[in-house]
Amino acid sequence: MSKIDELINKYCPDGVEWKTLLEVCESITAGGDLPEKYLKGQKYPDEEYPYPIYSNGSNNNALYGFTNNYKIEKDAVTISARGTIGYHTVRKGKFTPIVRLITLIPDNFIIVKYLNYILDITSIGSSGGSIPQLTVPEVKKISIPIPPLPVQEEIVKIL
């Protein structure tokens, strides 16, 4: 029996609970306009513009540039809502999402890296229309398994 099996038997003898992202995130928001001061194409932080700006996409980690302020303070998972719909990754706190980049800040009972891993095996759809996109209301409805923290920690450790 693997360590994960042992932990699941110990902490979840009746199975793992499923919850929506709305239930497990303290915040789910879409990026907005560019900050007032920024430098597009800047690849590294400097004294004037130390905080990254991320957009939709996957190339170069979707780094748009840097700014002198940030909108998101905590570590989070971002999901591309246009273009490379569904691309997601963990972001270190103190960054600014722009355009339609959706930001998920997990609550205290879900680990950021676990949230990102579980999204790898979760169906993330998009709305129809002439320009496919992912919306915040759609993301809030996505259900994921939420084992207790010791199980999440072991999954993150393994992955």
Side-chain angles (χ1 to χ4, degrees):
M1 185 179 286
S2 74
K3 177 132 187 197
I4 289 179
D5 289 330
E6 290 174 19
L7 290 169
I8 288 175
N9 285 337
K10 177 179 178 182
Y11 291 106
C12 325
D14 298 324
V16 176
E17 187 175 7
W18 285 69
K19 293 188 176 195
T20 65
L21 290 177
L22 177 63
E23 295 174 291
V24 299
C25 291
E26 69 178 57
S27 173
I28 301 175
T29 58
D33 296 333
L34 280 164
E36 190 175 308
K37 294 182 179 182
Y38 67 94
L39 187 56
K40 181 180 179 180
Q42 182 177 336
K43 295 186 188 307
Y44 303 100
D46 64 21
E47 284 186 30
E48 186 176 5
Y49 298 115
Y51 305 109
I53 301 169
Y54 297 112
S55 63
N56 290 292
S58 57
N59 291 342
N60 298 321
N61 204 17
L63 181 65
Y64 183 86
F66 283 80
T67 183
N68 64 340
N69 206 343
Y70 55 87
K71 289 184 182 175
I72 306 296
E73 184 170 10
K74 297 180 177 182
D75 291 357
V77 172
T78 60
I79 303 174
S80 183
R82 283 213 177 133
T84 54
I85 294 174
Y87 171 78
H88 56 89
T89 191
V90 173
R91 305 285 185 190
K92 187 161 173 54
K94 298 186 179 176
F95 68 93
T96 295
I98 59 169
V99 194
R100 301 275 313 149
L101 186 65
I102 296 175
T103 302
L104 291 77
I105 300 174
D107 217 329
N108 294 334
F109 54 89
I110 185 167
I111 299 168
V112 156
K113 287 183 179 179
Y114 172 80
L115 175 58
N116 190 58
Y117 289 136
I118 207 65
L119 289 175
D120 281 341
I121 59 170
T122 302
S123 177
I124 301 175
S126 64
S127 66
S130 59
I131 301 175
Q133 65 181 344
L134 186 61
T135 66
V136 169
E138 290 169 331
V139 169
K140 287 179 178 181
K141 294 176 191 175
I142 295 171
S143 290
I144 59 171
I146 306 295
L149 287 173
V151 178
Q152 292 179 41
E153 289 168 355
E154 185 65 18
I155 289 169
V156 167
K157 187 173 145 187
I158 290 169
L159 296 175

